[in-house]
Each structure stands twice: as structure tokens, then as C-alpha cells.
Amino acid sequence: MEDLLIQHVNLEKYENQERHKTEGFRSSKALVVRRGAPFRVSLQLEGRPFNPRTDSLRVKIMLGRLYAMMPVTFSKRVSSSSWNAYMDPADLNLHKPSIFIYPPASASVGFYRFQLWVPSRGGQQKTAFGKFILLFNPWCREDSVYIPFEDQREEYVQNDSGLLFVGTPVNTASRPWSFDQYEPGVLEACLNLLQVSPQHQNNRVVDYLNRTSPIYISRIVSAMINSEDDHGVLKGNWSSDFKQGVHPSMWTGSGDILRQWAQTAYRPVKYGQCWVFAAVMCTVMRVLGIPCRVVTNFNSAHDTNANLVIEEYYSETGQKLSRNKDSIWNFHVWVECWMNRKDLGFGKDGWQVLDPTPQERSGGVFCCGPASVKAIKDQRIDLVYDIPFVYAAVNADVHKFIVSQGQVVSHSKDTERVGSLICTKAVGFPRLQNITGDYKHIKSPTSTLTSRSSTMSEDSTVRRASSSEGVLVFLTLDKAPLAGKPVSFTVKVTNRQSVAKMMKVHINAQAKEYNHSPSDTFWEIHSTLELAPKEVKVLHQQILPAQYEDVVGDNLINLAVVLEDMANQERFLASEEFNITSPQLAIQVSNESNIVPHKEQTATVTFTNPFSHMVSGVLTVAGAGLIPGKINFRMLPLQPGGRVLQPITFIPNMAGTKMLQASLSLTNINTTITGFEMVFVNKV
């Protein structure tokens, strides 16, 4: 009998990737599949047909120097814990037979090669015939990243766009982001990230063996997103000098960052801050198949001495001082990944915090997590990894001090401010989901805020009050501050005693970045106030746009009031930090109910100048699956109240819900204005 000869092997890429939920990776030349599910390859034979009684085949699977050899059987019953290959006896085409290769749900992720071995009369003959990329499988119950709800798999694995939340808890702002996991070159960059890691470079065999675990993979990615210890993706910069790179606020998606890193021989991309680090990590984890979401912790504590106390100092006139290493970031952004945690014992599965922003070393390197969210809520600070650090970020107390002539003259404690709102994007909708209760036991639920509007929380005034037996003072914003409008606020002072009081009143405003102490005072008022016994007085104040526009921009405002009793020099402090929301760009898509792939569509981006002076800038429009790369338009100077409409065209390349996003970087104000519109692309 003549030898069995294989003329051609078809990897059946379209069928396999549709079945494995990897059809978005069509730009990759390699077959992309998920572990825990079989994929089919078909053979084109030369000469005689396959004879199931006399012919035998063997498959060799290779990951680096590791390999598995297996016979091709005729039974679909396979072991879920080992590699298997079989032909379906009920559907056996003898001229074009198909082989099903089954990767176990515990297989290592990475770039594989495989060979088909066929016997010949002269001995074994091997035929190299393919490559494939193997990813985690959140659709497979046996996989350690299995997540049981389809809408969550669509959101946390397949969705290539999202919203990042910034600002302050009383005035949240949404920032659109394109995760770009299906864009050309992104899959390859994410796989290269594992190859470039120190773990792989130091011992490739051990690294490949450990890649079965999402715990191991997530710690590598957390470290590799920042460039502090390795050839990581992003260089952090929290100064005001970004001349050597890109201002973090200018990034709109992960694709440009990951491609630039890969194309420059893995030199760090400049620059990133917390939301950029987290968004890029979310892209990598979704590419690898690990469910991931971006999370914002408002009023996030960085407790450097692990005493769960953050100290803040103010001058006697209300200026916030930089006096210690501890700090509170108005917002800090990390990611959560979904996985089993058998290493932690019962009940710690599910969402795990991972923070790629370089703040503290973990195991000698700048990474953080995976820290079980359930363990954080249960205060299990004895468990790995980095639970004490995250626990402090959401639970530390704030002690405020007023300092006069080097001496502390007033002290108050706030137990509600840190971690006052923890949120992420809602599943399936472009709005905020409040997940604070996942991290901590809260006294009463805070209503979910929407990303389209600004909401003042009901308990916000509690944090802005200072009292004693003598005087009670409240500082409250009258409404959420909006760019181009006055910042209106109220100071309410109550004399709780039966004697008249004469008070000095100092109100101070400073601009600040989200993670820094404030800069110099840009607005202040000093006055005196007379209070009759038991009297309540209300002071109404405004900071006009012309007074804050040149110093605030994308920054925030620290506002403080200090009252001094002129009789006994007793002082009372109330403070608030807030952002001024920029207007959103409006995007109107034409004929939006009839959008289909490969057909040109039109949209219009509209901007109205809310500022008190003329502005100009550069408008950037992007959309994964809609526009290749980015389109830039230069906006001519626009008068206050002026309006500009910019028409754009785009051609969708795939069906599904996509995000069309625009950002306007103003040249004469430190502000980036954004907008987005979800576009549903129908199947043809």
C-alpha cells in the first residue's frame, strides 16, 4: 500500500475563531483559539484516501521547548486535563479528513507550533503544518477564569471600548477609551509582553509551565505595564513637563501605546498616569482572555507608613500645605480581573485588584495584586497579594490639622472621605456602576451616578463640616461646577453658644493635580463675621470663570474655609476638593439605524466654546473597528459662545457595537474636551 501523503493542511481559521469567540482577531495571521475547547484542522490528502483501519496519525504540540505527543483517536471522549487529538467517526471524510485538537482548560497560554506525524514504510515521517495562539477561556467552566454570565463575558472580554471615570465623587466625569484589542499588531504586542518579561528571560521553561495560572500571568502584566523594573510599556510622569513625550491626557486608546512600544524594540512609551496604566493593562488582560474591567477609587489613600491614617495640614488662612509623604489622590484608577483563588481558601474567588501604576514594590518589583476584593472587604490583610495596601487605599482615616507658627492649633478626623465612591462602567451601558459595597461595609447605599450628568451625593456635606461645642461650620457647593460658569458655594456658620462671637473668616482656593498637593493660592477672601448668641449665618460666594480658567484647566480646586474665634483663637476648618466639568463634544451619526460593514458613513462633531475668551486647538477622532488610526483636524480660533461643526466619514470593518470618540486638545487652556457616541454596526 502506498504511503499516506498530506498535500495541504487547512486551519479552518474562520470556523474555529467564530466558535472560540476570537473572530475579532482576524487581522492576526495565526489561528487564535481558547483552551478547554477543541479546534478543527482539515487535511487535503495526495493520492489515496485515509483508511481508518490501517492508517494512524500522531500530533506533536510545542510551546518553546515543552511539547506533548498524542495519537489521533476515533473517540470524542477526551480527558479534560490533558492534550487530546481525535477524528469524529460520525463525520469522517476519507478524502479530506478532519482532526480535532483539544487543549486542556489548564494549558499554558502562548504561541504554539504543532506537527502532524504519519507513518511511512521507511519509518516515521513528520509534517510540520501549523501554528496557533492559545488564550484563556472564560466560556469554559473548567477554566480558572470562567465567568458565568454571557453579558459579562461580552463586556469584560470582548468589548473593545469603555469609559474611565475621573474627577471627584461629587462631580464625576467620564473619559472614553478605546481598548483596541482587535486592532492590527495589538495581539502580537500583548504576547510579546510575556516574552519580554524578566520571568521569561530568566527561565523560559519555568515561565511556560507557570502560564497555566491567571494569578501568575496577572502579576507579570501588572509589572510589565510600567517600566520601572523591566522593558515595560509605559513610563510614568507626574510632573508638569511632558516635552519628551505625550501628555497622558492626550491618549485615547491602548493601540497606539502598545504598537509604539513593540515597534521601538520595547522602549518605554512616554508618558502614562494611573488611568493610562490601568486602561492598557485592561487591554492586555482582555486579549489574553482574562475578564477585566477598569475601576476608579475616588479619594484614594496612599498610606506610606501602613498606619491607616492620612494626615493633611492647612495654614491658619486655609492654604493646604505639603507636609508629609502620605497623600490622597482625588481619584486613582486600577483594574479588576476575574479568576479563581484556590490559593486563598474558600470564598475569595471573583474580582481581584491589580494596579500597574508604580507606587509600591510587591515581591521586589513595582506591581500590585491580584488582591481579592472579597478579602479586602473582610479585612483579611494576612493574605496575598498586597491586600493591606489596597485596604488602606479605600479605608484610611483622614486627620486634618491647622498649623500656626509651627504649632498645631486645631485637629479634626474624617472617617468617611477615603474610598467614598468606587465605580466602574456598567455592563452593556455607557454609565457608571457604583461598586463601593464590594470593597467595604457602607452605612447606607449611595445612589448610582450616571456618566452623562453630575450628581451631588446626599451625604457630601458631612465631609465638609467642622464643629466644636462653640461653632459649627459647613462648606457646600451649590451645584456641580461647570466650565464657563461661576463656582457657587455656601459657608454656613452656627454659633452654638449663648454668647456673641466675633470671627475671622479666611476662604482660600488652590489649583491641584489629582495626585498632588495644591499649588499656590489663586483666589482668596478674608473678612470678619459677627455672630449673635445661637445665630446661624450663611455666606454666599462665587469664583468667576475669569478667575479660575487660566489656572485650573484639567486640574481640580482645593477650597477651604478657616474660622478663628477672635476671643480665644480657637479655629475651625471645612474643606472640599472638586473638579470643574468640561462640556462634552456632541457627536451626531447620520442614518444610524442602517450602518453596515464596509460602507461609508458620516457623522458630525460639534463644539460650543463655553469659556470667557477665544480658544483654538486640535480635534482628534478615532474609533476601533470604524476608523483606521486617527483623524486630526485643526480648529481655528473660536470666540466665546462660538460653535463649530466638523463633518467626518468612517467605514466600519466589522459588525457589533463600536465607540466613535472625539477629543479636543485646546492650545491656550490646559484642557482636553472629549465626547463619544456608541455606533451599532448591523450584520450584512
Side-chain angles (χ1 to χ4, degrees):
M1 181 183 292
E2 63 181 313
D3 287 341
L4 186 68
L5 299 177
I6 300 175
Q7 181 181 21
H8 176 69
V9 175
N10 187 340
L11 299 182
E12 304 293 351
K13 183 178 177 183
Y14 180 86
E15 171 196 317
N16 285 319
Q17 295 196 180
E18 185 175 30
R19 184 176 297 171
H20 283 248
K21 308 289 186 180
T22 58
E23 61 268 36
F25 297 115
R26 64 187 62 178
S27 65
S28 173
K29 295 180 181 178
L31 171 66
V32 184
V33 292
R34 300 188 187 278
R35 65 188 195 176
F39 61 94
R40 183 175 75 92
V41 296
S42 59
L43 313 180
Q44 177 68 51
L45 301 180
E46 183 177 342
R48 69 175 177 85
F50 179 81
N51 187 337
R53 293 186 177 182
T54 59
D55 291 327
S56 63
L57 301 169
R58 294 176 69 84
V59 175
K60 183 179 182 181
I61 305 291
M62 294 163 283
L63 178 64
R65 295 182 181 179
L66 302 176
Y67 69 90
M69 194 78 141
M70 71 210 76
V72 178
T73 69
F74 293 93
S75 173
K76 295 176 66 175
R77 300 179 63 181
V78 298
S79 168
S80 62
S81 61
S82 62
W83 286 88
N84 293 269
Y86 63 89
M87 291 183 176
D88 186 352
D91 187 27
L92 184 58
N93 185 331
L94 300 181
H95 292 278
K96 295 183 179 179
S98 293
I99 297 174
F100 292 86
I101 299 174
Y102 175 84
S106 58
S108 296
V109 300
F111 198 107
Y112 283 79
R113 297 172 295 123
F114 65 103
Q115 295 176 334
L116 181 66
W117 293 65
V118 295
S120 65
R121 286 172 293 181
Q124 287 285 335
Q125 173 186 318
K126 63 179 181 179
T127 304
F129 77 110
K131 299 176 180 178
F132 64 93
I133 294 169
L134 188 67
L135 306 178
F136 289 97
N137 190 353
W139 284 265
C140 175
R141 291 182 180 275
E142 290 75 29
D143 198 307
S144 52
V145 301
Y146 172 69
I147 191 167
F149 303 106
E150 179 60 24
D151 60 343
Q152 293 188 11
R153 292 190 288 258
E154 291 178 2
E155 179 71 45
Y156 301 135
V157 180
Q158 294 180 295
N159 197 350
D160 58 0
S161 64
L163 297 177
L164 317 179
F165 295 97
V166 297
T168 57
V170 298
N171 195 18
T172 60
S174 60
R175 183 188 297 271
W177 190 270
S178 183
F179 294 114
D180 293 333
Q181 64 258 43
Y182 305 127
E183 295 300 290
V186 171
L187 169 65
E188 292 75 14
C190 294
L191 292 170
N192 288 343
L193 182 145
L194 300 180
Q195 303 297 100
V196 174
S197 71
Q199 290 85 345
H200 186 75
Q201 296 298 315
N202 293 339
N203 194 323
R204 300 186 179 191
V205 170
V206 171
D207 175 60
Y208 280 135
L209 289 171
N210 286 332
R211 285 195 199 175
T212 64
S213 167
I215 301 171
Y216 174 79
I217 291 284
S218 65
R219 282 186 65 79
I220 288 179
V221 176
S222 177
M224 284 296 297
I225 295 299
N226 69 74
S227 63
E228 295 304 306
D229 310 291
D230 42 47
H231 295 287
V233 177
L234 277 160
K235 178 68 176 176
N237 185 347
W238 286 270
S239 73
S240 57
D241 182 7
F242 302 99
K243 295 186 182 66
Q244 300 301 314
V246 175
H247 192 295
S249 294
M250 295 296 293
W251 298 115
T252 59
S254 304
D256 288 344
I257 295 170
L258 288 165
R259 281 191 294 262
Q260 180 178 327
W261 174 73
Q263 292 167 3
T264 56
Y266 313 117
R267 284 200 288 270
V269 177
K270 301 176 180 179
Y271 292 103
Q273 290 184 2
C274 69
W275 70 91
V276 185
F277 286 110
V280 173
M281 181 166 183
C282 186
T283 295
V284 177
M285 302 309 274
R286 289 186 182 184
V287 165
L288 297 177
I290 300 175
C292 188
R293 63 188 186 182
V294 180
V295 171
T296 301
N297 177 36
F298 286 99
N299 293 329
S300 186
H302 185 182
D303 181 20
T304 58
N305 56 8
N307 65 351
L308 292 178
V309 172
I310 306 296
E311 298 174 339
E312 293 185 339
Y313 295 88
Y314 287 81
S315 75
E316 55 191 324
T317 57
Q319 186 175 36
K320 193 173 184 181
L321 308 173
S322 180
R323 292 281 299 262
N324 65 321
K325 295 182 179 180
D326 286 351
S327 62
I328 296 178
W329 292 13
N330 290 88
F331 64 88
H332 182 49
V333 186
W334 57 58
V335 302
E336 289 176 358
C337 291
W338 182 277
M339 65 187 74
N340 290 342
R341 291 302 303 272
K342 293 180 181 179
D343 60 316
L344 300 183
F346 178 76
K348 301 300 182 287
D349 297 340
W351 291 116
Q352 316 287 320
V353 172
L354 289 140
D355 188 354
T357 300
Q359 295 185 85
E360 300 281 343
R361 293 187 183 274
S362 172
V365 264
F366 280 105
C367 69
C368 178
S372 166
V373 173
K374 292 178 180 177
I376 294 166
K377 185 172 183 177
D378 293 341
Q379 304 179 34
R380 289 296 306 276
I381 59 176
D382 56 310
L383 299 177
V384 293
Y385 295 91
D386 308 303
I387 290 174
F389 181 79
V390 183
Y391 179 82
V394 301
N395 283 295
D397 292 340
V398 182
H399 289 217
K400 295 182 179 181
F401 301 92
I402 300 177
V403 179
S404 177
Q405 297 180 352
Q407 300 295 318
V408 172
V409 295
S410 177
H411 170 228
S412 59
K413 184 171 74 171
D414 188 339
T415 61
E416 302 294 328
R417 178 177 162 198
V418 169
S420 55
L421 173 63
I422 306 171
C423 63
T424 188
K425 177 188 172 296
V427 174
F429 297 95
R431 62 173 181 246
L432 180 153
Q433 178 185 350
N434 187 338
I435 58 171
T436 311
D438 293 352
Y439 282 80
K440 55 201 296 186
H441 300 280
I442 50 181
K443 296 177 182 177
S444 60
T446 303
S447 60
T448 300
L449 311 180
T450 65
S451 61
R452 297 284 188 174
S453 64
S454 301
T455 305
M456 303 294 289
S457 61
E458 295 296 327
D459 64 342
S460 60
T461 55
V462 175
R463 297 192 303 274
R464 297 191 290 270
S466 178
S467 66
S468 73
E469 294 182 358
V471 173
L472 176 67
V473 56
F474 282 93
L475 169 63
T476 58
L477 298 171
D478 295 342
K479 56 184 176 180
L482 183 66
K485 304 292 184 182
V487 176
S488 300
F489 63 95
T490 300
V491 178
K492 181 180 178 182
V493 185
T494 302
N495 182 2
R496 306 176 73 179
Q497 295 184 335
S498 300
V499 295
K501 290 183 178 290
M502 183 66 70
M503 311 291 294
K504 290 183 180 179
V505 181
H506 308 282
I507 307 177
N508 183 89
Q510 300 161 269
K512 73 179 294 288
E513 295 182 50
Y514 75 97
N515 65 320
H516 278 163
S517 295
S519 55
D520 293 337
T521 297
F522 72 86
W523 180 91
E524 59 186 326
I525 287 181
H526 305 280
S527 62
T528 58
L529 176 67
E530 187 174 356
L531 292 170
K534 302 292 185 177
E535 184 181 12
V536 178
K537 280 193 175 179
V538 177
L539 309 178
H540 298 283
Q541 297 290 342
Q542 285 189 337
I543 306 176
L544 300 177
Q547 296 172 309
Y548 67 73
E549 283 177 350
D550 292 336
V551 294
V552 177
D554 283 334
N555 293 329
L556 302 100
I557 291 177
N558 185 92
L559 184 65
V561 55
V562 171
L563 269 61
E564 180 184 351
D565 189 329
M566 297 175 66
N568 58 17
Q569 284 73 54
E570 187 177 6
R571 293 173 175 88
F572 314 94
L573 167 70
S575 65
E576 180 62 272
E577 292 182 343
F578 59 88
N579 57 310
I580 297 177
T581 304
S582 295
Q584 288 199 326
L585 299 174
I587 303 178
Q588 180 65 48
V589 178
S590 303
N591 198 25
E592 54 186 338
S593 62
N594 295 309
I595 298 175
V596 295
H598 314 300
K599 182 180 178 181
E600 184 175 281
Q601 310 290 335
T602 61
T604 303
V605 180
T606 304
F607 170 66
T608 302
N609 179 13
F611 301 104
S612 61
H613 49 77
M614 191 163 55
V615 297
S616 60
V618 175
L619 174 69
T620 301
V621 180
L626 301 173
I627 298 172
K630 297 180 178 179
I631 307 173
N632 293 317
F633 305 92
R634 182 163 294 280
M635 189 186 75
L636 297 176
L638 189 65
Q639 296 290 339
R643 187 181 182 205
V644 62
L645 287 79
Q646 177 62 58
I648 60 171
T649 60
F650 61 95
I651 302 176
N653 64 16
M654 66 177 72
T657 302
K658 303 297 175 185
M659 176 188 282
L660 183 63
Q661 61 166 306
S663 61
L664 176 60
S665 177
L666 298 178
T667 55
N668 52 341
I669 300 179
N670 179 29
T671 299
T672 300
I673 297 171
T674 63
F676 69 94
E677 185 66 26
M678 303 311 295
V679 178
F680 181 74
V681 184
N682 299 280
K683 292 184 178 180
V684 179

